[in-house]
Amino acid sequence: MSSPSHPIVLTSSLNGPITAFDAVSGVPLCHFSGSRSPYHGLALVGNSFIATSHVSAETSSASIHLYNWWSSTALHNFLVPEPVAPLSATLDGLYLFAGGLSGSIHALSVPSGEILASYSAHNKPVSCLKISEDGSLLISGGDDGTISFVPIFQIIEASPDKSSTSLILQRFAAHDGSVTAIDSIMTQRNSTIISSSLDCTIKIWGLLDGTKLRTVTFPCAIMGIALDQIRKEFFAAGSDGFIYKGTINAGSKKHVNQTQEFIRWAQKHESGIVSLVMVSETNNLVSASEDGKVYIWEIETGEAIMGLDNDVGSISDMVVANGMERSLKFGKKSNNFYDGYSGLCRVELSRSLKDTLDIEDVLRVATKDRSRAIDMLESAISAYERLLELILKEAKKGPSSSKSGNGKHSL
């Protein structure tokens, strides 16, 4: 019999360790030390790794720390050419993307840390990164208010002399302030992007041409967004400490900015919320704020049902590991952390840890090439389908209308 699913909440900090919590019981599980992680600087890399951006306090050198689930210290330290903040990884954990202060995005191979490609996506620092729902596109937002997206297979297979403009499938001016978060809804009929910003808005865009479908205006800056499981409702993280819930209506072209377009939940956080994440196993929402508070919410009632005991202080980012096998079991809590482990996760699997690691290495080597080939083929097919749709749409508009787009690059 397989182990039950076990969602785990991970929080990072500029001044403290990464902390893992049981999302069901709220119990802290373990700490991962040695990183100073900025806003949006935490990401899950497949089921095997945790990545965090890091800037050394002593040397100011930039790097990315890669952890596995069995040790509190970093397994790898990936050097990057500039300080980076936002991170995002492909679902298979083979590729990691990092957004830099220069506006460039760097693609790294995991677990080697080799930089496969770098390209300029924005004129100011990259503020957020997101893999599209179908896994085919890397979508980024910048402090310059723009959104861009690139087929992932093109990034991975790009030659060193390929220009950034030839990689970017679409880029358009989206907000008057920094883009704080992005999500996507990919369907056969309509694919859309949802973005939030410091300009106090959430906007919904057509993926193919960057057409603005809808704007919702809030009384404060929006620091993050999350979508429900059926992707019909959004949840917005307010810089005022409130969570706002609204309906997406992605197909509507009505421009709205009235307060009835959302409801505001009762306040629990005393400072700005930095991250919202949906827990798929329980259909609950998790929120984390700058003051170090973490709450789990029942989305139907808008009530906070649990607070997590975070003793680290400020929080810079939060992610949730959904679908984890319940293989983390813990001993009696001691003054340090858990007896005999001093902050390390105790992992009890059906096999010994050594055997598990050996098998994992063998399987990773055996399936790596096949997995890469299948993923790249699927990504290429999906991206080319979207590219063809865009070309056909531009062709229908005619030469005169194609010159008056939304700031997007010509293909």
Side-chain angles (χ1 to χ4, degrees):
M1 181 180 295
S2 62
S3 299
S5 182
H6 185 69
I8 296 174
V9 175
L10 293 158
T11 63
S12 60
S13 173
L14 274 171
N15 305 308
I18 299 168
T19 304
F21 300 89
D22 185 320
V24 176
S25 67
V27 173
L29 303 178
C30 55
H31 292 311
F32 301 91
S33 60
S35 293
R36 299 173 67 246
S37 181
Y39 180 58
H40 279 333
L42 183 64
L44 298 169
V45 186
N47 292 324
S48 301
F49 301 111
I50 304 160
T52 182
S53 302
H54 172 73
V55 177
S56 171
E58 292 78 22
T59 65
S60 297
S61 62
S63 62
I64 298 172
H65 288 174
L66 193 72
Y67 298 84
N68 62 27
W69 290 95
W70 301 294
S71 174
S72 66
T73 57
L75 179 67
H76 295 293
N77 182 37
F78 299 155
L79 297 180
V80 285
E82 62 173 329
V84 297
L87 300 176
S88 187
T90 55
L91 288 177
D92 57 16
L94 296 177
Y95 304 106
L96 177 66
F97 304 96
L101 288 180
S102 69
S104 294
I105 294 174
H106 310 283
L108 295 86
S109 177
V110 178
S112 70
E114 177 189 359
I115 297 179
L116 302 175
S118 297
Y119 68 95
S120 178
H122 303 276
N123 296 325
K124 291 184 178 181
V126 181
S127 53
C128 57
L129 291 172
K130 185 73 173 184
I131 304 292
S132 63
E133 185 185 12
D134 64 358
S136 67
L137 301 172
L138 177 64
I139 311 173
S140 61
D143 280 350
D144 58 4
T146 63
I147 292 174
S148 74
F149 47 91
V150 180
I152 289 176
F153 82 94
Q154 286 193 190
I155 303 173
I156 304 305
E157 299 297 329
S159 59
D161 58 347
K162 193 163 188 177
S163 67
S164 297
T165 53
S166 63
L167 284 175
I168 295 174
L169 181 62
Q170 184 77 273
R171 180 167 62 194
F172 56 92
H175 291 274
D176 294 330
S178 176
V179 182
T180 55
I182 296 173
D183 212 328
S184 64
I185 301 173
M186 314 294 280
T187 65
Q188 291 183 345
R189 295 184 59 188
N190 296 302
S191 294
T192 55
I193 298 173
I194 300 94
S195 60
S196 63
S197 172
L198 295 182
D199 67 6
C200 305
T201 67
I202 282 180
K203 296 184 180 182
I204 300 174
W205 309 87
L207 178 65
L208 290 179
D209 55 7
T211 300
K212 183 169 62 177
L213 303 176
R214 185 174 170 217
T215 298
V216 182
T217 302
F218 297 84
C220 65
I222 301 300
M223 308 304 295
I225 49 177
L227 305 182
D228 68 343
Q229 291 193 42
I230 60 175
R231 308 184 88 74
K232 297 296 184 182
E233 295 180 320
F234 68 79
F235 304 89
S239 61
D240 58 0
F242 286 97
I243 294 174
Y244 299 88
K245 176 183 177 181
T247 303
I248 293 172
N249 286 333
S252 173
K253 294 188 178 181
K254 180 183 177 182
H255 180 94
V256 292
N257 60 3
Q258 301 300 315
T259 56
Q260 68 261 26
E261 293 304 315
F262 56 81
I263 60 173
R264 190 178 71 178
W265 288 356
Q267 187 173 25
K268 294 291 290 185
H269 295 284
E270 297 178 358
S271 63
I273 300 172
V274 297
S275 181
L276 291 176
V277 182
M278 186 66 63
V279 182
S280 59
E281 286 88 345
T282 60
N283 199 31
N284 292 328
L285 186 72
V286 186
S287 62
S289 60
E290 294 172 338
D291 61 5
K293 304 297 184 182
V294 181
Y295 291 99
I296 297 178
W297 304 76
E298 208 288 314
I299 64 171
E300 296 300 327
T301 64
E303 295 181 355
I305 58 177
M306 183 188 302
L308 304 187
D309 184 18
N310 177 34
D311 58 359
V312 174
S314 65
I315 291 176
S316 59
D317 200 7
M318 175 196 63
V319 296
V320 175
N322 288 305
M324 295 292 292
E325 293 299 314
R326 195 179 182 94
S327 56
L328 300 178
K329 297 186 179 181
F330 305 91
K332 182 179 179 181
K333 191 172 183 180
S334 66
N335 291 330
N336 192 359
F337 204 73
Y338 289 93
D339 289 340
Y341 285 83
S342 300
L344 301 182
C345 290
R346 178 189 296 183
V347 181
E348 296 181 359
L349 303 173
S350 57
R351 294 176 178 269
S352 68
L353 179 58
K354 182 177 183 303
D355 289 343
T356 302
L357 290 172
D358 290 342
I359 292 172
E360 181 181 283
D361 290 340
V362 171
L363 290 176
R364 180 182 273 285
V365 172
T367 61
K368 186 175 182 179
D369 291 339
R370 183 178 66 177
S371 177
R372 284 177 188 253
I374 293 173
D375 289 343
M376 297 311 295
L377 178 60
E378 291 177 346
S379 177
I381 291 172
S382 177
Y384 274 123
E385 286 176 346
R386 299 189 201 292
L387 184 59
L388 179 59
E389 289 180 29
L390 181 58
I391 292 172
L392 291 175
K393 189 167 186 176
E394 291 295 324
K396 290 178 181 179
K397 289 181 179 179
S400 59
S401 60
S402 64
K403 295 179 181 179
S404 58
N406 291 285
K408 57 183 179 291
H409 287 279
S410 60
L411 298 174

